[in-house]
């Protein structure tokens, strides 16, 4: 899957063990991002409903949560082979992200343009189109020149940027034993009110950094609306307009409180960083209104940009990052009996 700030890749075994220990048949992933968690829960047999308000994330969910391998693998494989054979045809993507900025080598940009135009022209069913768009997104991610976010590109080309773009079939899963999943593109509070599940997994933005700004290229690639852009990174103009209360130090607590009160699930599992706008004590107090709260801590290395350091526009190192690791808290909210059944799992994980 694509490189992603806040990815739960290293946490997934622990999350899946905890969630499955609560024995739900269905789960709602309200801030699905790359759908790593939803994909893992589908693999574990749960019926998963994934939601994210960004179009690229909803597309990832449609591929990894909603689409089922038995229905799409043959057609998707055939179309991916056809798309890989297309000649390059430079257009909006090449001009914007290879010439006006330097996220990708122009030869790969021209191939992305050709493939994206071909997908748009086919008028495919939503699930099949999502699989092809994810294949293209992941292929582009393998040849980009960033530290993992699209706020800026590297001064010198990353080694992987010299590789040739190649589409591969995403890792589709068969339909889960508990039933077919679904993907949604709703505001989290709306999704919480409309979608019911046995368990809800909440992984909201925890600070001021917006995922749309960090991954604006994927949003433009999926929407293919060829928007006006601004700045050195050629961000979509709507990056300035689309906001979330979860990114606001002033609004985050109220938004989280409303979400906790409104979500329609018996069990809650929440991921939140110690770098976030809401501290551990405040989060525990909020969640305590829904039931007993179990808290687990997980040590994390910070994202690649923090490891590299702080540089000025001339490429000179001008500052030192104050810490290289942080703590991700997992809050599990349920009744006392259910949490007691998790004790062997938490002891094994600690």
């Amino acid at each position: 899957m694509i490189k992603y700030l806040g990815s739960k890749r290293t946490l997934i075994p622990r999350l899946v063990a905890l969630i499955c220990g609560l024995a739900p048949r269905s789960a709602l992933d309200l801030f699905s991002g790359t759908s790593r968690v939803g994909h893992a829960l589908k693999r574990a047999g749960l019926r998963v409903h994934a939601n994210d308000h960004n179009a690229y994330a909803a597309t990832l969910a449609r591929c990894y949560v909603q689409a089922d391998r038995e229905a799409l693998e043959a057609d998707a494989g055939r179309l991916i082979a056809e798309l890989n054979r297309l000649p390059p045809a430079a257009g909006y993507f090449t001009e914007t992200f290879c010439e006006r900025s330097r996220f990708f080598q122009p030869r790969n940009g021209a191939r992305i343009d050709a493939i994206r135009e071909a997908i748009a022209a086919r008028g495919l069913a939503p699930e099949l189109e999502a699989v092809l768009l994810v294949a293209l997104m992941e292929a582009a991610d393998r040849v980009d020149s960033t530290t993992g976010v699209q706020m800026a590109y590297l001064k010198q080309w990353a080694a992987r940027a010299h590789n040739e773009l190649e589409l591969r079939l995403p890792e589709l899963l068969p339909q889960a034993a508990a039933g077919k999943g679904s993907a949604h593109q709703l505001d989290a509070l709306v999704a919480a009110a409309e979608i019911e599940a046995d368990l809800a997994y909440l992984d909201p933005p925890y600070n001021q950094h917006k995922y749309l700004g960090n991954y604006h290229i994927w949003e433009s690639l999926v929407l293919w609306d060829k928007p006006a852009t601004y700045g050195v990174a050629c961000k979509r103009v709507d990056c300035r307009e689309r906001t979330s209360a979860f990114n606001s130090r002033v609004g985050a607590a109220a938004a989280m409180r409303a979400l906790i009160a409104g979500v329609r699930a018996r069990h809650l599992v929440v991921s939140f960083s110690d770098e976030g706008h809401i501290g551990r004590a405040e989060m525990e107090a909020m969640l305590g209104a829904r039931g007993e709260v179990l808290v687990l801590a997980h040590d994390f290395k910070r994202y690649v940009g923090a490891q590299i350091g702080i540089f000025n526009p001339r490429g000179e190192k001008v500052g030192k990052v104050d810490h290289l690791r942080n703590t991700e808290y997992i809050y599990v909210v349920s009744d006392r009996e259910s949490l007691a059944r998790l004790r062997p799992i938490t002891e094994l994980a600690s």
Side-chain angles (χ1 to χ4, degrees), residues 50-68:
N51 176 75
D52 200 291
H53 71 286
N54 288 323
Y56 73 85
T59 300
L60 284 158
R62 196 168 295 115
C63 170
Y64 282 120
V65 171
Q66 181 174 314
D68 298 321

PDB file of all heavy atoms in Angstrom, residues 50-68:
ATOM      1  N   ALA A  50     -15.996   0.864   5.671  1.00  0.00           N
ATOM      2  CA  ALA A  50     -14.906   1.842   5.740  1.00  0.00           C
ATOM      3  C   ALA A  50     -15.399   3.206   5.288  1.00  0.00           C
ATOM      4  O   ALA A  50     -16.208   3.304   4.359  1.00  0.00           O
ATOM      5  CB  ALA A  50     -13.736   1.390   4.876  1.00  0.00           C
ATOM      6  N   ASN A  51     -14.891   4.253   5.930  1.00  0.00           N
ATOM      7  CA  ASN A  51     -15.318   5.612   5.582  1.00  0.00           C
ATOM      8  C   ASN A  51     -14.136   6.577   5.655  1.00  0.00           C
ATOM      9  O   ASN A  51     -13.297   6.491   6.559  1.00  0.00           O
ATOM     10  CB  ASN A  51     -16.400   6.101   6.552  1.00  0.00           C
ATOM     11  CG  ASN A  51     -16.793   7.536   6.270  1.00  0.00           C
ATOM     12  OD1 ASN A  51     -17.500   7.812   5.304  1.00  0.00           O
ATOM     13  ND2 ASN A  51     -16.306   8.478   7.078  1.00  0.00           N
ATOM     14  N   ASP A  52     -14.089   7.483   4.686  1.00  0.00           N
ATOM     15  CA  ASP A  52     -13.135   8.588   4.740  1.00  0.00           C
ATOM     16  C   ASP A  52     -13.657   9.685   3.831  1.00  0.00           C
ATOM     17  O   ASP A  52     -14.182   9.406   2.759  1.00  0.00           O
ATOM     18  CB  ASP A  52     -11.744   8.145   4.282  1.00  0.00           C
ATOM     19  CG  ASP A  52     -10.653   9.084   4.773  1.00  0.00           C
ATOM     20  OD1 ASP A  52     -10.596  10.236   4.288  1.00  0.00           O
ATOM     21  OD2 ASP A  52      -9.856   8.673   5.642  1.00  0.00           O
ATOM     22  N   HIS A  53     -13.519  10.957   4.227  1.00  0.00           N
ATOM     23  CA  HIS A  53     -14.100  12.038   3.427  1.00  0.00           C
ATOM     24  C   HIS A  53     -13.235  12.425   2.237  1.00  0.00           C
ATOM     25  O   HIS A  53     -13.688  13.140   1.348  1.00  0.00           O
ATOM     26  CB  HIS A  53     -14.394  13.266   4.303  1.00  0.00           C
ATOM     27  CG  HIS A  53     -13.177  14.009   4.765  1.00  0.00           C
ATOM     28  ND1 HIS A  53     -12.352  13.530   5.739  1.00  0.00           N
ATOM     29  CD2 HIS A  53     -12.656  15.192   4.373  1.00  0.00           C
ATOM     30  CE1 HIS A  53     -11.365  14.391   5.941  1.00  0.00           C
ATOM     31  NE2 HIS A  53     -11.519  15.403   5.128  1.00  0.00           N
ATOM     32  N   ASN A  54     -11.974  11.961   2.175  1.00  0.00           N
ATOM     33  CA  ASN A  54     -11.129  12.220   1.010  1.00  0.00           C
ATOM     34  C   ASN A  54     -11.394  11.186  -0.071  1.00  0.00           C
ATOM     35  O   ASN A  54     -11.530   9.991   0.214  1.00  0.00           O
ATOM     36  CB  ASN A  54      -9.653  12.210   1.395  1.00  0.00           C
ATOM     37  CG  ASN A  54      -9.266  13.433   2.208  1.00  0.00           C
ATOM     38  OD1 ASN A  54      -9.756  14.537   1.953  1.00  0.00           O
ATOM     39  ND2 ASN A  54      -8.401  13.247   3.187  1.00  0.00           N
ATOM     40  N   ALA A  55     -11.441  11.624  -1.323  1.00  0.00           N
ATOM     41  CA  ALA A  55     -11.790  10.733  -2.432  1.00  0.00           C
ATOM     42  C   ALA A  55     -10.759   9.629  -2.623  1.00  0.00           C
ATOM     43  O   ALA A  55     -11.110   8.477  -2.915  1.00  0.00           O
ATOM     44  CB  ALA A  55     -11.942  11.530  -3.723  1.00  0.00           C
ATOM     45  N   TYR A  56      -9.466   9.951  -2.467  1.00  0.00           N
ATOM     46  CA  TYR A  56      -8.452   8.911  -2.672  1.00  0.00           C
ATOM     47  C   TYR A  56      -8.575   7.810  -1.625  1.00  0.00           C
ATOM     48  O   TYR A  56      -8.419   6.620  -1.930  1.00  0.00           O
ATOM     49  CB  TYR A  56      -7.045   9.520  -2.679  1.00  0.00           C
ATOM     50  CG  TYR A  56      -6.540   9.957  -1.322  1.00  0.00           C
ATOM     51  CD1 TYR A  56      -5.925   9.069  -0.446  1.00  0.00           C
ATOM     52  CD2 TYR A  56      -6.680  11.274  -0.901  1.00  0.00           C
ATOM     53  CE1 TYR A  56      -5.481   9.468   0.793  1.00  0.00           C
ATOM     54  CE2 TYR A  56      -6.239  11.688   0.338  1.00  0.00           C
ATOM     55  CZ  TYR A  56      -5.634  10.780   1.179  1.00  0.00           C
ATOM     56  OH  TYR A  56      -5.195  11.182   2.424  1.00  0.00           O
ATOM     57  N   ALA A  57      -8.898   8.197  -0.381  1.00  0.00           N
ATOM     58  CA  ALA A  57      -9.034   7.201   0.685  1.00  0.00           C
ATOM     59  C   ALA A  57     -10.291   6.362   0.492  1.00  0.00           C
ATOM     60  O   ALA A  57     -10.280   5.146   0.729  1.00  0.00           O
ATOM     61  CB  ALA A  57      -9.059   7.889   2.046  1.00  0.00           C
ATOM     62  N   ALA A  58     -11.392   6.983   0.059  1.00  0.00           N
ATOM     63  CA  ALA A  58     -12.605   6.222  -0.227  1.00  0.00           C
ATOM     64  C   ALA A  58     -12.371   5.244  -1.373  1.00  0.00           C
ATOM     65  O   ALA A  58     -12.921   4.130  -1.382  1.00  0.00           O
ATOM     66  CB  ALA A  58     -13.744   7.179  -0.570  1.00  0.00           C
ATOM     67  N   THR A  59     -11.534   5.610  -2.344  1.00  0.00           N
ATOM     68  CA  THR A  59     -11.194   4.716  -3.447  1.00  0.00           C
ATOM     69  C   THR A  59     -10.366   3.536  -2.957  1.00  0.00           C
ATOM     70  O   THR A  59     -10.587   2.390  -3.363  1.00  0.00           O
ATOM     71  CB  THR A  59     -10.436   5.503  -4.537  1.00  0.00           C
ATOM     72  OG1 THR A  59     -11.278   6.551  -5.014  1.00  0.00           O
ATOM     73  CG2 THR A  59     -10.041   4.601  -5.693  1.00  0.00           C
ATOM     74  N   LEU A  60      -9.404   3.806  -2.079  1.00  0.00           N
ATOM     75  CA  LEU A  60      -8.635   2.709  -1.476  1.00  0.00           C
ATOM     76  C   LEU A  60      -9.563   1.755  -0.725  1.00  0.00           C
ATOM     77  O   LEU A  60      -9.413   0.529  -0.806  1.00  0.00           O
ATOM     78  CB  LEU A  60      -7.576   3.275  -0.529  1.00  0.00           C
ATOM     79  CG  LEU A  60      -6.341   3.889  -1.204  1.00  0.00           C
ATOM     80  CD1 LEU A  60      -5.646   4.865  -0.258  1.00  0.00           C
ATOM     81  CD2 LEU A  60      -5.376   2.792  -1.625  1.00  0.00           C
ATOM     82  N   ALA A  61     -10.538   2.290  -0.004  1.00  0.00           N
ATOM     83  CA  ALA A  61     -11.488   1.452   0.732  1.00  0.00           C
ATOM     84  C   ALA A  61     -12.365   0.646  -0.212  1.00  0.00           C
ATOM     85  O   ALA A  61     -12.682  -0.518   0.052  1.00  0.00           O
ATOM     86  CB  ALA A  61     -12.353   2.318   1.649  1.00  0.00           C
ATOM     87  N   ARG A  62     -12.775   1.250  -1.329  1.00  0.00           N
ATOM     88  CA  ARG A  62     -13.609   0.526  -2.290  1.00  0.00           C
ATOM     89  C   ARG A  62     -12.843  -0.664  -2.876  1.00  0.00           C
ATOM     90  O   ARG A  62     -13.416  -1.715  -3.162  1.00  0.00           O
ATOM     91  CB  ARG A  62     -14.071   1.474  -3.396  1.00  0.00           C
ATOM     92  CG  ARG A  62     -15.231   0.946  -4.232  1.00  0.00           C
ATOM     93  CD  ARG A  62     -15.832   2.033  -5.103  1.00  0.00           C
ATOM     94  NE  ARG A  62     -16.440   3.064  -4.280  1.00  0.00           N
ATOM     95  CZ  ARG A  62     -16.021   4.324  -4.224  1.00  0.00           C
ATOM     96  NH1 ARG A  62     -15.008   4.735  -4.970  1.00  0.00           N
ATOM     97  NH2 ARG A  62     -16.620   5.184  -3.436  1.00  0.00           N
ATOM     98  N   CYS A  63     -11.537  -0.499  -3.027  1.00  0.00           N
ATOM     99  CA  CYS A  63     -10.699  -1.588  -3.528  1.00  0.00           C
ATOM    100  C   CYS A  63     -10.429  -2.632  -2.445  1.00  0.00           C
ATOM    101  O   CYS A  63     -10.632  -3.829  -2.668  1.00  0.00           O
ATOM    102  CB  CYS A  63      -9.374  -0.998  -4.037  1.00  0.00           C
ATOM    103  SG  CYS A  63      -8.096  -2.209  -4.446  1.00  0.00           S
ATOM    104  N   TYR A  64      -9.971  -2.194  -1.291  1.00  0.00           N
ATOM    105  CA  TYR A  64      -9.449  -3.135  -0.293  1.00  0.00           C
ATOM    106  C   TYR A  64     -10.487  -3.668   0.694  1.00  0.00           C
ATOM    107  O   TYR A  64     -10.261  -4.694   1.334  1.00  0.00           O
ATOM    108  CB  TYR A  64      -8.305  -2.476   0.482  1.00  0.00           C
ATOM    109  CG  TYR A  64      -7.017  -2.472  -0.300  1.00  0.00           C
ATOM    110  CD1 TYR A  64      -6.382  -1.285  -0.631  1.00  0.00           C
ATOM    111  CD2 TYR A  64      -6.438  -3.658  -0.730  1.00  0.00           C
ATOM    112  CE1 TYR A  64      -5.199  -1.285  -1.356  1.00  0.00           C
ATOM    113  CE2 TYR A  64      -5.267  -3.671  -1.451  1.00  0.00           C
ATOM    114  CZ  TYR A  64      -4.639  -2.491  -1.761  1.00  0.00           C
ATOM    115  OH  TYR A  64      -3.485  -2.491  -2.485  1.00  0.00           O
ATOM    116  N   VAL A  65     -11.623  -2.982   0.809  1.00  0.00           N
ATOM    117  CA  VAL A  65     -12.663  -3.415   1.746  1.00  0.00           C
ATOM    118  C   VAL A  65     -13.921  -3.887   1.015  1.00  0.00           C
ATOM    119  O   VAL A  65     -14.457  -4.964   1.303  1.00  0.00           O
ATOM    120  CB  VAL A  65     -13.005  -2.279   2.734  1.00  0.00           C
ATOM    121  CG1 VAL A  65     -14.228  -2.623   3.569  1.00  0.00           C
ATOM    122  CG2 VAL A  65     -11.808  -1.983   3.637  1.00  0.00           C
ATOM    123  N   GLN A  66     -14.388  -3.090   0.063  1.00  0.00           N
ATOM    124  CA  GLN A  66     -15.653  -3.417  -0.604  1.00  0.00           C
ATOM    125  C   GLN A  66     -15.497  -4.431  -1.729  1.00  0.00           C
ATOM    126  O   GLN A  66     -16.304  -5.356  -1.867  1.00  0.00           O
ATOM    127  CB  GLN A  66     -16.286  -2.138  -1.151  1.00  0.00           C
ATOM    128  CG  GLN A  66     -17.628  -2.370  -1.845  1.00  0.00           C
ATOM    129  CD  GLN A  66     -18.298  -1.066  -2.241  1.00  0.00           C
ATOM    130  OE1 GLN A  66     -18.356  -0.129  -1.459  1.00  0.00           O
ATOM    131  NE2 GLN A  66     -18.805  -1.005  -3.465  1.00  0.00           N
ATOM    132  N   ALA A  67     -14.484  -4.283  -2.565  1.00  0.00           N
ATOM    133  CA  ALA A  67     -14.297  -5.176  -3.714  1.00  0.00           C
ATOM    134  C   ALA A  67     -13.854  -6.561  -3.245  1.00  0.00           C
ATOM    135  O   ALA A  67     -13.049  -6.685  -2.313  1.00  0.00           O
ATOM    136  CB  ALA A  67     -13.260  -4.587  -4.665  1.00  0.00           C
ATOM    137  N   ASP A  68     -14.365  -7.585  -3.882  1.00  0.00           N
ATOM    138  CA  ASP A  68     -14.039  -8.964  -3.530  1.00  0.00           C
ATOM    139  C   ASP A  68     -13.271  -9.638  -4.668  1.00  0.00           C
ATOM    140  O   ASP A  68     -13.605  -9.477  -5.847  1.00  0.00           O
ATOM    141  CB  ASP A  68     -15.311  -9.753  -3.224  1.00  0.00           C
ATOM    142  CG  ASP A  68     -16.063  -9.186  -2.026  1.00  0.00           C
ATOM    143  OD1 ASP A  68     -15.405  -8.774  -1.048  1.00  0.00           O
ATOM    144  OD2 ASP A  68     -17.313  -9.153  -2.075  1.00  0.00           O
TER     145      ASP A  68
END
